Amino acid sequence: MQQGKPIKLNGKPVKLPLICTPLVGRTKAQILAEVALIVGKQPDLLEWRVDFFEGIGNSSAVIDVAASIKQAAGGIPILFTRRSIKEGGQEIPLNEDAVVALYAEVCKSRTVDIVDFEMGNDPQHIRQVRAASKANDTQLILSFHHFQQTPPLESLNQKFLLAQELGADIAKVAVMPQSLDDVLTLLTATSQSSQKLDIPLVSMSMGGPGSLTRLFGWTFGSAMVFAIGGSSSAPGQVPIEDLNTVMGIVQKAIAGK
Amino acid sequence: MQQGKPIKLNGKPVKLPLICTPLVGRTKAQILAEVALIVGKQPDLLEWRVDFFEGIGNSSAVIDVAASIKQAAGGIPILFTRRSIKEGGQEIPLNEDAVVALYAEVCKSRTVDIVDFEMGNDPQHIRQVRAASKANDTQLILSFHHFQQTPPLESLNQKFLLAQELGADIAKVAVMPQSLDDVLTLLTATSQSSQKLDIPLVSMSMGGPGSLTRLFGWTFGSAMVFAIGGSSSAPGQVPIEDLNTVMGIVQKAIAGK
């Protein structure tokens, strides 16, 4: 009865959900230390949050680190993300044109498998990132974040649909609940959109109560869960060990075993 | 942010949620063997499903077993339940008048702490069970079960409210989902009614997918979870060990630890 479409990696649908752990080091050494720590925990995906990297202003340095992560990751695919300040990211010394140019260079370097770009960015920039990722066989997540509240059910469904309309390979929505009813709204949107969309989607409520969606939102159609390998990158993420434990129990229970 | 009212035991509110394990033996020996097995697993409540007991036709035998369970339970409170056939129970050799008389005798014996009676039973019978339980400081759960489907949101909310209007100390609704959307409907009703009702409520979706509500439904306001100690009494119950594991992880995650 599980819903939703699995994400493809290397052209093949993979297990539902993928577990993705973020890398949030400021230096190359910190980032590679995180990779070394995390690889043994066997996530399905590593997300490099490049907005934490002190060298983000130098595209050669970025590609060098991306190549080093890929080498150290032992085959675990890489998701490359610059999260903008207004959607929860770090301050960086690049303007948006330069960010788009960086995405294009990273795609061209073939060091990452997926890139994440906000659907709220300039439409021209989204088109450029889509073109650069497509030209280099790199998948595109178009994402929406709201760190204060949870928009109404229909707005959430529209965000998932907008990502698909803008040409995303994967749609992502992350919002903050102000009540447990907001958590149910996010789960309901996840269930509805995962049955309607042609592409996989990723969703989560953030913060403590929202952590419920990280533990069992995948049963309602979210194709990816972000979990802590070394350090968290957003509020409410749970350790990968806890997620694996809960997923195992839930899968057994749903199967009626 | 956790919702709902805790159930009182011995006049005091207890932890939210209570974990309740069913006893489904056919003979006194089987039932006491179950108690012996389960007590070490430290549930908060034992539910004796008396409709499984081969001696249900003899009220003295019933009270003898109830007293033995109480003695063996080492202080764990007892919930006494005859589940009717049409709401998922066993065939028994008693008519409804005799069942009500049995409930009255059991309450009078002071061997149990809570009794469960279906809100769909004859209103006169409900009044009699309510009077007998109240006269003997025994709490009353008024319950509704549907083993084929999940009624719409408003119907579920009305069932919770009806239990309160009929004088219940605790309202219980257990329904079968036909989709994951039905699971969300049950959780939404649980969240809404737990904020509106004056009494604690207990809710669950049954079957494999419904097991999600047994693992997480308490965060949305259900004050009790039924878990397997020895044998299950309804589809989708999970082992008490698994429930404890998931509850510990969820409580830590919600608290942001």
Side-chain angles (χ1 to χ4, degrees):
Chain A
M1 201 186 273
Q2 192 171 313
Q3 295 171 342
K5 292 161 192 68
I7 290 169
K8 289 184 181 179
L9 288 172
N10 302 316
K12 291 181 191 155
V14 288
K15 77 180 181 70
L16 195 64
L18 296 185
I19 298 180
C20 179
T21 56
L23 306 172
V24 296
R26 301 219 161 262
T27 66
K28 180 175 177 179
Q30 285 173 359
I31 293 163
L32 292 179
E34 280 184 288
V35 176
L37 173 70
I38 291 170
V39 163
K41 301 184 178 185
Q42 300 185 288
D44 302 301
L45 202 61
L46 292 173
E47 181 188 47
W48 182 25
R49 278 284 303 273
V50 71
D51 51 305
F52 281 95
F53 176 45
E54 62 181 15
I56 188 173
N58 177 343
S59 63
S60 299
V62 170
I63 290 169
D64 169 60
V65 172
S68 298
I69 295 171
K70 187 180 173 70
Q71 190 168 32
I76 300 175
I78 316 294
L79 163 60
F80 176 85
T81 303
R82 182 291 314 250
R83 182 67 56 239
S84 70
I85 291 180
K86 67 179 180 209
E87 299 206 13
Q90 305 295 300
E91 195 168 338
I92 59 171
L94 298 179
N95 66 22
E96 286 301 298
D97 282 333
V99 168
V100 171
L102 179 64
Y103 268 68
E105 287 198 61
V106 168
C107 288
K108 204 172 163 193
S109 76
R110 303 270 179 144
T111 49
V112 306
D113 302 84
I114 311 177
V115 295
D116 177 312
F117 198 59
E118 290 103 359
M119 68 180 83
N121 287 322
D122 184 302
Q124 176 61 18
H125 287 154
I126 294 174
R127 277 191 295 274
Q128 289 170 327
V129 170
R130 174 68 287 192
S133 53
K134 192 161 272 178
N136 293 287
D137 292 331
T138 304
Q139 293 189 73
L140 174 62
I141 297 177
L142 287 177
S143 61
F144 169 81
H145 306 76
H146 201 308
F147 275 75
Q148 276 72 51
Q149 54 160 296
T150 299
L153 178 62
E154 266 321 299
S155 300
L156 295 175
N157 280 326
Q158 282 166 13
K159 295 296 181 192
F160 287 122
L161 185 59
L162 178 60
Q164 176 170 301
E165 289 174 346
L166 290 170
D169 298 300
I170 300 161
K172 178 187 163 190
V173 169
V175 292
M176 187 66 79
Q178 294 182 329
S179 67
L180 283 164
D181 290 338
D182 283 342
V183 173
L184 290 173
T185 298
L186 185 278
L187 290 174
T188 302
T190 301
S191 175
Q192 292 179 354
S193 284
S194 71
Q195 293 173 71
K196 281 180 199 158
L197 254 56
D198 299 322
I199 59 173
L201 63 81
V202 179
S203 76
M204 68 274 314
S205 276
M206 294 185 284
S211 62
L212 287 170
T213 66
R214 300 185 188 273
L215 291 167
F216 74 114
W218 53 275
T219 63
F220 294 98
S222 179
M224 192 192 299
V225 189
F226 289 81
I228 301 170
S231 304
S232 75
S233 63
Q237 288 175 356
V238 300
I240 188 169
E241 296 85 351
D242 286 350
L243 180 61
N244 275 321
T245 299
V246 170
M247 277 179 56
I249 290 172
V250 168
Q251 281 164 336
K252 191 176 67 164
I254 288 180
K257 284 173 189 164
Chain B
M1 201 185 274
Q2 191 171 312
Q3 297 172 340
K5 291 160 193 70
I7 291 168
K8 289 183 183 181
L9 289 173
N10 303 316
K12 290 180 192 156
V14 287
K15 81 181 179 72
L16 193 64
L18 297 183
I19 298 179
C20 179
T21 55
L23 306 172
V24 296
R26 300 219 161 264
T27 66
K28 180 177 177 178
Q30 285 173 358
I31 293 163
L32 292 180
E34 280 183 288
V35 175
L37 171 70
I38 290 170
V39 162
K41 301 185 180 186
Q42 300 183 287
D44 302 300
L45 203 62
L46 293 172
E47 180 188 47
W48 182 24
R49 279 284 303 275
V50 71
D51 51 305
F52 282 95
F53 177 45
E54 63 181 16
I56 190 175
N58 177 342
S59 62
S60 300
V62 169
I63 289 167
D64 168 61
V65 172
S68 299
I69 294 171
K70 186 180 174 70
Q71 189 167 33
I76 300 174
I78 316 294
L79 164 60
F80 176 86
T81 302
R82 180 294 311 249
R83 182 68 55 237
S84 70
I85 291 180
K86 68 180 175 207
E87 298 204 13
Q90 305 296 300
E91 196 168 338
I92 58 171
L94 298 178
N95 66 23
E96 286 300 299
D97 281 334
V99 168
V100 171
L102 177 65
Y103 268 68
E105 287 199 62
V106 168
C107 288
K108 203 172 164 190
S109 76
R110 302 271 178 142
T111 49
V112 305
D113 302 85
I114 310 177
V115 296
D116 176 313
F117 198 61
E118 289 102 359
M119 66 181 84
N121 287 322
D122 183 303
Q124 175 62 18
H125 287 154
I126 294 174
R127 278 193 292 275
Q128 289 170 328
V129 170
R130 174 68 287 191
S133 54
K134 192 160 273 180
N136 293 288
D137 292 330
T138 303
Q139 293 188 73
L140 173 63
I141 296 176
L142 288 177
S143 60
F144 168 80
H145 305 75
H146 200 307
F147 276 76
Q148 275 73 49
Q149 53 159 297
T150 299
L153 179 62
E154 265 320 299
S155 300
L156 294 175
N157 280 327
Q158 282 166 13
K159 294 296 180 192
F160 287 121
L161 184 61
L162 178 61
Q164 177 170 298
E165 289 174 348
L166 289 170
D169 298 298
I170 300 160
K172 178 186 162 190
V173 168
V175 292
M176 187 65 79
Q178 294 182 327
S179 67
L180 283 164
D181 291 338
D182 283 344
V183 173
L184 289 172
T185 298
L186 185 276
L187 290 175
T188 303
T190 301
S191 175
Q192 292 179 353
S193 285
S194 71
Q195 294 173 71
K196 282 181 198 158
L197 253 58
D198 300 322
I199 59 173
L201 62 80
V202 179
S203 75
M204 69 271 318
S205 275
M206 295 184 285
S211 62
L212 287 170
T213 66
R214 302 186 186 273
L215 291 167
F216 305 99
W218 52 276
T219 64
F220 295 98
S222 179
M224 192 192 299
V225 189
F226 289 81
I228 301 171
S231 303
S232 75
S233 65
Q237 288 174 357
V238 299
I240 188 169
E241 296 86 351
D242 286 349
L243 180 60
N244 276 320
T245 298
V246 171
M247 277 179 56
I249 291 174
V250 169
Q251 281 162 338
K252 192 176 66 164
I254 288 181
K257 286 174 188 163

